[in-house]
Amino acid sequence: MKSHLLGALLLASAAPALGQTSIATLPPPALVDPKVAMLRDHALESDHYAWDIVEGLTTEVGQRLAGTEAEARARDWAVKTMTALGFSNVHVEPFDMPVWTRGAEGAEIVSPFPQKLVVAALGYSGSTGPEGVTGEIVHFDSVDALRAAPDSAVKGKIVFIDHDMMPAQDGSGYGQFGAPRRQGPTIASLKGALAIVIRSIGTDHHRNPHTGVQYFTDGAAPIPAGALTVPDSEQLVRILKRGKPVVMHLTLVSQKTAGGRSGNVVAEIPGRDPNAPVLLLGGHLDSWDQGTGAIDDGAGVAITTAAAKQIMDAGRPLRTIRVVWFGAEEPGGFGGTALAKAHAGDRYAIAGESDFGADRIWRFGTQLMKTDPATYRALEAALAPLGIVKNDKAEADGTDVDETIKAGAPWISLGQDGTRYFDIHHTPDDTLDKIDPVQLRQNVAAWTAALAILSGGIEPEPKRRPRR
Ligand SMILES: [Zn+2]
């Protein structure tokens, strides 16, 4: 989701073209506008909007699987909440999508050492039916090892792919080690496998399976595809090492229906200049179905909405601030695609998303480094007191704003510390208690400072004449 911009950035930083700004030619460091500092510090000390939103959403709605009735209730909740907060033009922009839902699931070793393992189906997995399937396990330590194997080694068997993902502050393991989930099922299916189980794409050692999306491409027929927990995967490796054939009984019941519905919830703070390019920010409203979608991504909608509300409380920005709670991100970024299409004619001053949990923001990057160096310097100065460093090699991120950025919107990225993100991501353990209110406020403070700078200046609302 980030790679298309990386190439361009690397080229640009290696050889700055005419009219582009390299690090060496940036203007001198900026001083922080006292108004921006005041808003930032106020949010850091006392924001309660973000907590109220994520606590309310996860408590009153809970899980919000894309395209389901639960996600529809979440949209109603979002409209009610943002209207009550004073946003304008609050509305739902619906779109269609294929809906996948989970049924019964289980895995057990039949021989040589009968025992139950903990498994969860991956998104768009094929269904085993309620009776399940039984097959011999064939083990690969990477997706490339599976790719290199002859079909005869895989045919009729249950493929198991292992990997060695480790925690990283920038979450960089997810791209590479996510391949078993993203590509493994298709490769296994094309080679004639009966089913596939992978080691969860996670960094914890709890008995929580990590779900996540995958698609069957290249004409691959859907086969059952699941993720074992990390401890269960390690157990399976130990069993395999005993050298005897290992037989598993796997049950992954699921359903896919074509005519599903989701939607983006859109809300605005109208700018003083209705013709100025818009600031677009948000997170995704949908979640996986096992936890309550607190860090992924109740936190993101809460953080960005709270920051916009902090600006609203201070007055009226020059530029319109548009907050979007995107629908159906998890099954494949359907909301982001729908928004880019529905707003193809809109002009943006910036686009950014919060979708990496709620731990503290530690670095930022923006395309403005090249296109608007003075604003970049102002952002750098305003964010530094929050412990946020600049990342000159940053790439655009956020599935939901990806299509809008590809269409030309400048981007900003406020990167959270992801050291523990993949302990919890896409598991039943993604619940409210994982959010640290202090770090949550730091996130709101950073976005508030960024919005205060990017919104073109905030003026107090004119006093209304008292009605007679
Ligand atoms: Zn997410």
Side-chain angles (χ1 to χ4, degrees):
M1 74 185 177
K2 301 172 175 180
S3 53
H4 65 285
L5 287 154
L6 178 62
L9 269 175
L10 286 175
L11 278 175
S13 58
L18 267 184
Q20 283 188 324
T21 307
S22 71
I23 317 285
T25 59
L26 280 175
L31 291 175
V32 186
D33 178 336
K35 257 188 180 171
V36 171
M38 202 186 71
L39 284 167
R40 176 197 65 205
D41 296 344
H42 176 74
L44 185 65
E45 280 154 29
S46 60
D47 178 78
H48 59 89
Y49 297 124
W51 181 263
D52 291 349
I53 290 168
V54 69
E55 192 270 349
L57 180 64
T58 54
T59 304
E60 294 170 21
V61 183
Q63 68 84 14
R64 308 170 293 283
L65 188 66
T68 64
E69 167 278 333
E71 197 201 22
R73 270 189 287 123
R75 283 194 293 281
D76 293 343
W77 193 93
V79 167
K80 195 184 77 187
T81 299
M82 287 200 278
T83 304
L85 285 170
F87 284 88
S88 301
N89 194 19
V90 183
H91 66 281
V92 176
E93 300 182 359
F95 55 85
D96 297 326
M97 57 163 294
V99 179
W100 179 88
T101 51
R102 182 188 311 278
E105 47 200 12
E108 56 192 292
I109 303 295
V110 177
S111 64
F113 311 126
Q115 57 189 283
K116 285 187 175 170
L117 304 180
V118 181
V119 71
L122 300 174
Y124 295 125
S125 165
S127 182
T128 59
E131 65 289 343
V133 295
T134 304
E136 189 183 330
I137 292 282
V138 54
H139 176 204
F140 299 98
D141 59 8
S142 71
V143 78
D144 292 322
L146 168 63
R147 202 179 268 120
D151 293 6
S152 58
V154 170
K155 205 165 177 54
K157 295 184 177 167
I158 298 178
V159 166
F160 166 53
I161 311 184
D162 206 357
H163 62 81
D164 297 298
M165 183 174 170
M166 293 286 154
Q169 192 176 18
D170 65 358
S172 53
Y174 191 53
Q176 182 175 334
F177 294 108
R181 190 190 84 206
R182 288 186 278 262
Q183 295 154 29
T186 288
I187 300 169
S189 170
L190 291 173
K191 287 181 184 288
L194 176 65
I196 178 173
V197 290
I198 62 164
R199 174 178 168 135
S200 279
I201 312 304
T203 51
D204 60 306
H205 271 84
H206 291 281
R207 228 172 165 190
N208 296 318
H210 296 240
T211 190
V213 81
Q214 60 81 38
Y215 307 100
F216 290 98
T217 59
D218 306 316
I223 57 171
L228 296 168
T229 75
V230 171
D232 284 291
S233 301
E234 293 180 349
Q235 174 81 336
L236 180 54
V237 170
R238 282 191 296 271
I239 294 171
L240 285 157
K241 274 191 180 153
R242 300 303 203 260
K244 293 179 182 150
V246 177
V247 177
M248 175 183 277
H249 183 69
L250 181 67
T251 308
L252 296 173
V253 180
S254 61
Q255 231 186 354
K256 190 180 162 186
T257 36
R261 204 110 231 261
S262 180
N264 294 322
V265 184
V266 179
E268 290 182 340
I269 304 171
R272 303 194 303 280
D273 178 359
N275 299 316
V278 170
L279 310 184
L280 172 67
L281 77 162
H284 63 87
L285 179 56
D286 70 306
S287 73
W288 282 107
D289 50 339
Q290 293 142 308
T292 60
I295 67 154
D296 189 14
D297 185 28
V301 297
I303 288 161
T304 50
T305 305
K309 173 66 176 160
Q310 293 288 346
I311 301 293
M312 188 200 297
D313 288 352
R316 190 128 183 240
L318 181 70
R319 299 190 176 108
T320 295
I321 297 175
R322 182 178 296 157
V323 180
V324 181
W325 296 23
F326 290 88
E329 187 268 355
E330 294 293 1
F334 291 97
T337 303
L339 190 96
K341 204 172 151 199
H343 294 267
D346 292 7
R347 292 188 309 131
Y348 295 101
I350 205 80
E353 171 171 34
S354 173
D355 184 17
F356 200 47
D359 281 350
R360 76 175 189 94
I361 293 169
W362 70 284
R363 65 174 183 177
F364 89 101
T366 170
Q367 194 178 353
L368 300 180
M369 188 183 89
K370 294 182 190 307
T371 58
D372 185 355
T375 299
Y376 173 68
R377 280 298 206 194
L379 287 164
E380 180 191 340
L383 295 172
L386 296 171
I388 299 170
V389 296
K390 62 196 162 92
N391 175 17
D392 295 335
K393 294 193 173 64
E395 309 155 34
D397 61 8
T399 304
D400 292 308
V401 289
D402 190 43
E403 291 289 325
T404 298
I405 290 166
K406 275 187 196 162
W411 55 266
I412 187 166
S413 161
L414 298 178
Q416 287 130 320
D417 188 322
T419 309
R420 65 178 190 134
Y421 184 68
F422 292 108
D423 291 354
I424 303 156
H425 178 246
H426 295 182
T427 72
D429 217 20
D430 180 2
T431 49
L432 183 68
D433 51 292
K434 308 307 179 304
I435 295 180
D436 169 8
V438 175
Q439 297 193 66
L440 185 71
R441 284 203 301 274
Q442 188 261 14
N443 275 259
V444 178
W447 279 100
T448 300
L451 289 181
I453 290 166
L454 297 167
S455 64
I458 303 153
E459 298 291 337
E461 288 282 6
K463 286 232 161 58
R464 293 205 187 97
R465 265 198 283 163
R467 274 198 220 148
R468 302 214 212 180

